[in-house]
Amino acid sequence: MPLAATVAALGVAQIVSWGTLFYTIAVLGPSMREATGVSEVALHGAYSLGLLVSGLSAPAVGRRIDARGGRGLLASGSLVAALACVPLATVQGPATLLAAWVLAGVAMAMTLYDPAFATLHHVAGPRYRASVTALTLFGGFASTVFWPLSQWLLGAGGFRVAFLVYAGLHVAVCLP
């Protein structure tokens, strides 16, 4: 695959991954809180724990990329992200909310910029800097795309439908 196509494919996957795993809390969070009866502190605490899990998982993800490259890890991460969106769609209370965001944190470690950049380093060679710049520009569109999409899905079917749609996007768009 030509480098430009690789950057574009990784870029679209970054838009979906950031949009579904990182930015959704801003739009879907209040509805999740109301439907589950959890406090604002519990909602954002669970999300923050997911971010912590992502950071704690990063060294293992990096070692895996160093040993085998990133393509398989990014694909696996897309499956984990899809699997994380399902419990986010079906969350019922504090325990399931916490478990869902922890799983989403693992998915973040496997799909967001760090593994994508490392993967790009393996394939771009001397064109790495320009490729990373392009990939970062793609990722910058995540909030532009997913905040309005999340708002529309929230209005059309609620946060549960939104997360199920996002699970499908990870399988249909990011996995390939």
Side-chain angles (χ1 to χ4, degrees):
M1 178 183 293
L3 182 58
T6 299
V7 171
L10 285 171
V12 169
Q14 287 300 293
I15 291 170
V16 172
S17 296
W18 280 99
T20 61
L21 297 170
F22 189 81
Y23 290 118
T24 55
I25 192 77
V27 177
L28 303 180
S31 181
M32 292 176 78
R33 188 180 54 74
E34 290 171 19
T36 60
V38 301
S39 70
E40 186 103 13
V41 171
L43 174 73
H44 291 285
Y47 175 74
S48 296
L49 182 61
L51 294 175
L52 177 64
V53 167
S54 177
L56 293 173
S57 301
V61 167
R63 285 190 296 276
R64 165 58 174 78
I65 291 170
D66 286 344
R68 296 188 197 129
R71 182 179 175 142
L73 182 101
L74 285 166
S76 298
S78 295
L79 289 175
V80 173
L83 291 173
C85 287
V86 173
L88 284 167
T90 60
V91 66
Q92 297 298 316
T96 55
L97 181 72
L98 190 65
W101 279 115
V102 165
L103 184 58
V106 173
M108 287 183 223
M110 297 173 74
T111 60
L112 297 183
Y113 279 140
D114 293 336
F117 290 160
T119 300
L120 198 53
H121 182 266
H122 284 267
V123 298
R127 296 182 293 170
Y128 173 70
R129 286 183 188 213
S131 299
V132 165
T133 300
L135 182 59
T136 305
L137 288 172
F138 268 98
F141 286 106
S143 62
T144 303
V145 172
F146 276 87
W147 280 30
L149 178 59
S150 292
Q151 190 64 52
W152 183 79
L153 288 169
L154 183 63
F159 80 90
R160 297 181 193 284
V161 168
F163 276 117
L164 291 175
V165 168
Y166 295 159
L169 286 176
H170 279 283
V171 172
V173 175
C174 299
L175 180 59

